Amino acid sequence: MPQVSIICGSSSDEEIAKKTWEILNKYEISYDYQVISAHRNPDRLDEYITESNAKVFICIAGLAAALPGVVASKTKKPVIGVPVSGKLMGGLDALLSIVQMPKGVPVACVGVDNGENAAHLAARILRVI
């Protein structure tokens, strides 16, 4: 059973996911990695969230960066958003999208492309360190 679920909105975000799982491996935290778009595969995402036994979700997304908010709206487990840098705004669009969640849908947010800090935060949530 993975303790952390890493979900990318696109396969192009895998480099950031690699940074995340490298840190999780150092802490010996088990994880699962999925690529599921909140926009293109909403039913698959719903099913995955419902069936996941993970204790923490790390969601890596760029552009509109809806993924962390959608996941947070469907679970009471902690969700960490990792905004991805984009070509036009350098990730500012994704950063603002992730931090501007409505009340009752909390998402922790780390810096742009900072999958490492997402893993460190997950470890602290899990009290591994």
Side-chain angles (χ1 to χ4, degrees):
M1 174 177 88
Q3 295 174 285
V4 174
S5 171
I6 303 169
I7 308 172
C8 285
S10 168
S11 59
S12 64
D13 303 331
E14 188 170 323
E15 286 303 312
I16 297 165
K18 285 180 183 178
K19 295 176 187 178
T20 305
W21 70 58
E22 286 172 1
I23 299 297
L24 293 175
N25 285 334
K26 287 181 182 179
Y27 288 125
E28 298 181 358
I29 296 173
S30 59
Y31 64 89
D32 180 50
Y33 171 66
Q34 299 288 319
V35 177
I36 309 172
S37 168
H39 295 108
R40 292 183 290 268
N41 305 106
D43 294 336
R44 182 171 166 233
L45 182 61
D46 286 350
E47 182 180 331
Y48 177 75
I49 295 165
T50 302
E51 294 177 1
S52 177
N53 291 320
K55 295 177 182 171
V56 178
F57 288 92
I58 296 176
C59 299
I60 302 168
L63 301 172
L67 181 62
V70 171
V71 172
S73 76
K74 302 198 178 283
T75 184
K76 298 298 182 195
K77 297 173 183 177
V79 176
I80 303 167
V82 182
V84 176
S85 59
K87 294 176 183 172
L88 297 177
M89 299 185 72
L92 181 61
D93 49 348
L95 175 71
L96 293 175
S97 177
I98 292 171
V99 299
Q100 293 297 329
M101 290 295 106
K103 291 175 183 164
V105 186
V107 174
C109 184
V110 297
V112 176
D113 294 338
N114 200 337
E116 295 96 329
N117 265 1
H120 290 300
L121 181 54
R124 288 182 179 197
I125 291 168
L126 295 168
R127 299 183 190 270
V128 171
I129 57 173

